[in-house]
């Protein structure tokens, strides 16, 4: 039986000192057919371990509806790690951050029943216990002493940056231990005294998260972890992007030099990320530290392996450093050829709002409902009411989460925009039908705004431009936009109803491919919206930049025609379906 434990100064593998050389791969951000490729390249880089989070809201998006299917098969992922002869670290949280929608916490947790999250609160803890028991049923038999790859399991995630409830942490430990998890348990926090003190418990191995000044950060960690091995559980070797800001990169040689200092001290490491992957679907998170900043679809992270799994300059620089501390297993195979360059017109297009209205049934409320109240936790929703201002007026809402197109009698007149702090729009006098198409752009993944509802936050008020008192609008009809609107393109009676006056559209076309290969879909001629490729939602696009191409993994591509559906909120004339040979993640930022 293989053993793994925490010693006085080192991790101990079968009683001998062991330095963990790990890289982060999130199974839910990479197609399962590509797991083995990314894991193999990790080993060729010199790593001996793969780390992953578990995203609760991916497995249980609706309460009680659980899935381990397809790309969510954690057991299959861990077995792929074992097949490569590597160890695994699993971080089930329940909160993961990870620039992932709501930090991995399901939106349904924050409904009427919930009184608080990430603390010892009965409703939350009951849900957490049910979640962790499911996860640990997978992990328990795959621990290293059972012949599996798992050597460490993490309790919570950077908890010292959020709360300080030791009873909550103790209960997480009890749930974990009672499920038969006997490998060492860890916590992670940024190397600040207050966070390290609040984010852990005696008996748990504290680890750090940082991306520079390693000797200094490790010294801070050592003050709080007097014995045992030191480990950077998240060595930030890159960074993520949000819409409207430049693409983030870090210098490969500088990062490698700092990694050398970290490993030279004897500390263990987990590279965050080794390969970031993609926020498929509408799974990207957002930050809000005074300004809302939604994260782009690509989670490339400027990592050693890019979004498509190709080695970068950082891969080679890190491999050289790692080779000073371990024997490298072999040569890395040559890179792949450029992706095919393809072009095709859209063959069909319909007005999105007309199609949604024709296919759904309006519901009514005597107050402004959130999307969460509608049961619409991601995507878009349509709000409608009638207004009769006697003079030009201004519509304002307390908050928009996160963007809303405003239409008067079917014509676009403006937009409410959370990121730009635009919560009002001018409206003309008269009797009008007021329609708002509201778009969720990603739930906040870090800090006190976790779990906030999406949609429009009331009150909604009509303020006359001249004399007169503001009037609250309380009579609303609403209609969720289907999470998968593709069937609207073939349904009656809206088939063939073309878009008009720059209104949002749903378009379809085909892309002929000679043989399956990675593709980079060019969104340069589009506005903002969502793309489906052969029934899989690739994610969001926005001409705001910096991301211009969407990665289409080869397992999603078929020989012959491939179906492409685009929901475009700001359509342009002449838009086409096209691919590029290389990804573009740093296109100019729109003004």
């Amino acid at each position: 039986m293989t053993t793994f434990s925490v010693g006085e100064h080192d991790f101990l593998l079968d009683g001998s000192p062991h330095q963990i050389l790990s890289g982060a791969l999130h199974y839910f951000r990479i197609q399962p057919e590509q797991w083995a490729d990314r894991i193999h390249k990790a080993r060729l880089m010199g790593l001996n371990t793969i780390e992953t989070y578990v995203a609760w809201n991916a497995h249980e998006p609706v309460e009680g509806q659980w899935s381990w299917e397809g790309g969510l098969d954690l057991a299959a992922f861990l077995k792929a790690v074992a097949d490569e002869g590597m160890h695994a670290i699993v971080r089930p949280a329940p909160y993961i951050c990870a620039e992932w929608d709501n930090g991995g916490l399901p939106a349904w947790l924050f409904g009427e029943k919930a009184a608080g999250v990430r603390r010892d609160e009965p409703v939350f803890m009951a849900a957490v216990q049910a979640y962790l028991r499911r996860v640990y049923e997978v992990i328990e038999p795959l621990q290293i002493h059972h012949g599996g790859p798992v050597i460490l399991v993490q309790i919570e995630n950077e908890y010292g940056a959020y709360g300080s409830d030791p009873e909550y942490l103790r209960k997480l430990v009890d749930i974990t231990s009672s499920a038969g998890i006997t490998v060492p348990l860890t916590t992670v926090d940024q190397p600040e005294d207050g966070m390290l003190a609040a984010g852990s418990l005696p008996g748990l191995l504290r680890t750090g998260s940082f991306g520079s000044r390693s000797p200094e950060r490790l010294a801070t960690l050592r003050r709080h972890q007097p014995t045992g091995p030191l480990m950077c559980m998240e060595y930030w070797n890159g960074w993520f992007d949000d819409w409207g800001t430049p693409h983030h990169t870090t210098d490969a040689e500088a990062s490698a030099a700092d990694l050398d200092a970290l490993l030279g001290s004897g500390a263990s490491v987990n590279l965050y990320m080794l390969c970031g992957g993609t926020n498929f679907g509408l799974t990207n998170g957002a930050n809000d530290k005074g300004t809302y900043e939604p994260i782009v679809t690509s989670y490339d992270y400027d990592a050693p392996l890019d979004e498509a799994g190709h080695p970068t300059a950082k891969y080679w620089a890190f491999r050289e450093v790692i080779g000073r501390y371990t024997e490298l297993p072999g040569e890395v195979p040559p890179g792949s050829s450029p992706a095919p360059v393809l072009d095709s017109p859209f063959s069909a297009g319909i007005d999105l709002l007309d199609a949604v209205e024709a296919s759904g049934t309006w519901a009514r409320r005597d107050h402004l409902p959130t999307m969460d109240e509608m049961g619409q936790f991601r995507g878009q929703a349509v709000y409608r009411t009638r207004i009769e201002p006697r003079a030009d007026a201004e519509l304002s809402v307390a908050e928009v989460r996160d963007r809303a197109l405003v239409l008067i009698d079917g014509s676009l007149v403006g937009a409410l925009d959370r990121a730009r702090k635009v919560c009002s729009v001018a409206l003309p006098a008269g009797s009008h039908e007021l329609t708002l198409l509201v778009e969720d752009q990603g739930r906040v993944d870090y800090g006190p705004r976790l779990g906030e509802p999406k949609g429009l936050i009331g009150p909604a008020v009509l303020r006359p431009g001249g004399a007169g008192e503001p009037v609250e609008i309380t009579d609303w009809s609403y209609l969720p936009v289907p999470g998968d609107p593709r069937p609207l393109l073939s349904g009656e009676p809206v088939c063939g109803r073309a878009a008009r006056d720059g209104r949002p559209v749903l378009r379809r076309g085909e892309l002929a491919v000679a043989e399956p290969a990675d593709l980079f879909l060019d969104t340069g001629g589009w506005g903002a919206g969502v793309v489906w490729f052969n029934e899989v939602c690739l994610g969001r696009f926005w001409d705001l930049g910096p991301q211009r191409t969407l990665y289409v993994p080869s397992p999603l591509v078929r020989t012959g025609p491939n179906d492409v559906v685009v929901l475009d909120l700001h359509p342009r004339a002449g838009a086409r379906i096209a691919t590029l040979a290389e990804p573009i993640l740093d296109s100019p930022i729109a003004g």
Side-chain angles (χ1 to χ4, degrees):
M1 179 181 73
T2 303
T3 63
F4 189 85
S5 60
V6 172
E8 184 70 17
H9 304 290
D10 301 287
F11 290 111
L12 300 177
L13 180 62
D14 285 335
S16 298
H18 178 75
Q19 188 173 34
I20 297 174
L21 304 171
S22 177
L25 293 175
H26 298 157
Y27 61 96
F28 45 87
R29 279 178 159 139
I30 299 171
Q31 295 298 303
E33 298 89 341
Q34 297 176 322
W35 289 342
D37 171 76
R38 309 306 192 256
I39 295 167
H40 181 60
K41 288 172 179 172
R43 187 175 66 83
L44 293 180
M45 187 176 165
L47 302 182
N48 55 33
T49 304
I50 296 295
E51 176 272 322
T52 186
Y53 280 127
V54 179
W56 183 358
N57 58 2
H59 292 280
E60 194 178 14
V62 177
E63 186 173 9
Q65 296 183 18
W66 187 272
S67 175
W68 291 118
E69 299 299 315
L72 298 177
D73 192 339
L74 175 61
F77 178 77
L78 293 175
K79 289 172 182 175
V81 172
D83 289 344
E84 191 64 39
M86 301 180 75
H87 296 147
I89 300 169
V90 185
R91 301 201 285 163
Y95 163 80
I96 64 173
C97 185
E99 291 71 57
W100 184 262
D101 184 63
N102 222 24
L105 295 171
W108 52 261
L109 279 175
F110 300 86
E112 294 179 0
K113 295 188 299 181
V117 299
R118 300 187 75 189
R119 61 186 178 90
D120 181 22
E121 186 278 315
V123 174
F124 176 62
M125 289 308 299
V128 168
Q129 184 170 26
Y131 158 68
L132 288 177
R133 282 178 173 171
R134 283 191 173 106
V135 175
Y136 290 145
E137 285 175 359
V138 170
I139 296 175
E140 193 278 330
L142 294 174
Q143 295 176 97
I144 191 167
H145 53 277
H146 292 320
V150 178
I151 57 173
L152 295 175
V153 169
Q154 182 174 289
I155 300 295
E156 249 285 356
N157 189 64
E158 292 191 324
Y159 185 64
Y162 183 87
S164 57
D165 184 348
E167 185 60 25
Y168 166 57
L169 296 178
R170 274 192 286 271
K171 287 188 175 181
L172 292 180
V173 171
D174 290 344
I175 293 169
T176 303
S177 299
S178 66
I181 304 303
T182 57
V183 295
L185 304 181
T186 71
T187 57
V188 63
D189 281 287
Q190 296 175 45
E192 297 183 13
D193 291 327
M195 293 184 186
L196 286 165
S200 194
L201 294 173
L204 302 178
L205 180 71
R206 289 174 167 87
T207 68
S209 54
F210 51 87
S212 62
R213 295 155 47 197
S214 289
E216 174 189 337
R217 313 291 196 186
L218 292 172
T220 302
L221 179 59
R222 179 54 83 197
R223 290 201 301 270
H224 294 265
Q225 187 67 46
T227 64
L230 293 177
M231 181 170 185
C232 179
M233 186 60 78
E234 292 186 18
Y235 181 72
W236 301 327
N237 50 246
W239 207 244
F240 55 90
D241 294 334
D242 47 73
W243 295 110
T245 64
H247 175 54
H248 291 83
T249 60
T250 58
D251 181 77
E253 295 304 322
S255 293
D258 194 79
L259 176 62
D260 194 15
L262 189 156
L263 296 180
S265 72
S268 292
V269 71
N270 177 51
L271 303 176
Y272 192 96
M273 297 291 297
L274 170 69
C275 180
T278 308
N279 295 316
F280 293 110
L282 306 181
T283 57
N284 66 280
N287 282 315
D288 193 334
K289 298 178 182 178
T291 299
Y292 177 74
E293 298 172 325
I295 291 160
V296 305
T297 297
S298 171
Y299 200 62
D300 177 83
Y301 211 84
D302 192 36
L305 295 176
D306 69 14
E307 184 178 9
H310 302 142
T312 67
K314 197 169 287 180
Y315 181 94
W316 302 111
F318 282 16
R319 187 174 189 267
E320 181 182 354
V321 167
I322 292 168
R324 300 169 193 165
Y325 302 92
T326 189
E327 183 178 351
L328 296 175
E331 295 300 318
V332 181
S336 59
S337 57
V341 176
L342 308 167
D343 184 273
S344 178
F346 285 104
S347 58
I350 59 172
D351 186 284
L352 175 68
L353 289 169
D354 285 348
V356 170
E357 184 170 358
S359 65
T361 301
W362 291 94
R364 293 188 66 182
R365 290 288 179 98
D366 59 2
H367 68 279
L368 188 63
T370 66
M371 286 171 58
D372 292 52
E373 288 181 77
M374 304 175 194
Q376 184 83 337
F377 294 128
R378 287 180 182 159
Q380 299 89 23
V382 183
Y383 292 73
R384 181 167 289 170
T385 190
R386 288 209 67 85
I387 58 171
E388 297 183 353
R390 296 181 179 179
D392 291 353
E394 179 184 82
L395 170 71
S396 67
V397 296
E399 268 196 88
V400 56
R401 298 178 185 158
D402 301 303
R403 197 164 182 270
L405 302 184
V406 182
L407 299 95
I408 287 291
D409 300 326
S411 297
L412 186 65
V413 296
L416 307 175
D417 193 316
R418 176 180 181 179
R420 283 147 196 80
K421 303 183 187 298
V422 178
C423 286
S424 64
V425 64
L427 301 179
S431 177
H432 303 289
E433 179 184 79
L434 171 66
T435 303
L436 298 99
L437 175 59
V438 182
E439 175 194 12
D440 149 46
Q441 294 184 319
R443 291 180 186 263
V444 172
D445 56 63
Y446 184 88
R449 302 200 72 157
L450 281 172
E452 61 185 11
K454 288 297 186 179
L456 297 178
I457 310 302
V461 176
L462 204 59
R463 303 179 185 278
E469 293 294 321
V471 176
E472 182 178 355
I473 305 171
T474 57
D475 184 18
W476 290 94
S477 299
Y478 66 88
L479 191 59
V481 176
D484 182 359
R486 293 175 303 114
L488 299 179
L489 280 157
S490 56
E492 294 290 346
V494 296
C495 185
R497 184 174 295 178
R500 48 195 168 89
D501 303 326
R503 287 160 50 107
V505 300
L506 200 60
R507 289 170 164 158
R508 165 170 277 151
E510 289 186 346
L511 203 59
V513 180
E515 60 181 357
D518 284 349
L519 303 177
F520 299 103
L521 201 61
D522 184 13
T523 69
W526 307 344
V530 184
V531 182
W532 289 260
F533 191 96
N534 287 340
E535 303 180 1
V536 174
C537 184
L538 298 181
R540 311 175 199 266
F541 65 90
W542 199 355
D543 61 2
L544 195 63
Q547 181 178 356
R548 173 171 163 173
T549 55
L550 287 174
Y551 174 52
V552 186
S554 59
L556 304 183
V557 182
R558 300 191 289 248
T559 298
N562 290 263
D563 186 55
V564 181
V565 173
V566 177
L567 187 163
D568 198 337
L569 301 174
H570 299 285
R572 299 175 183 170
R576 298 176 64 82
I577 305 170
T579 66
L580 300 177
E582 301 288 343
I584 298 178
L585 300 178
D586 58 353
S587 62
I589 304 302

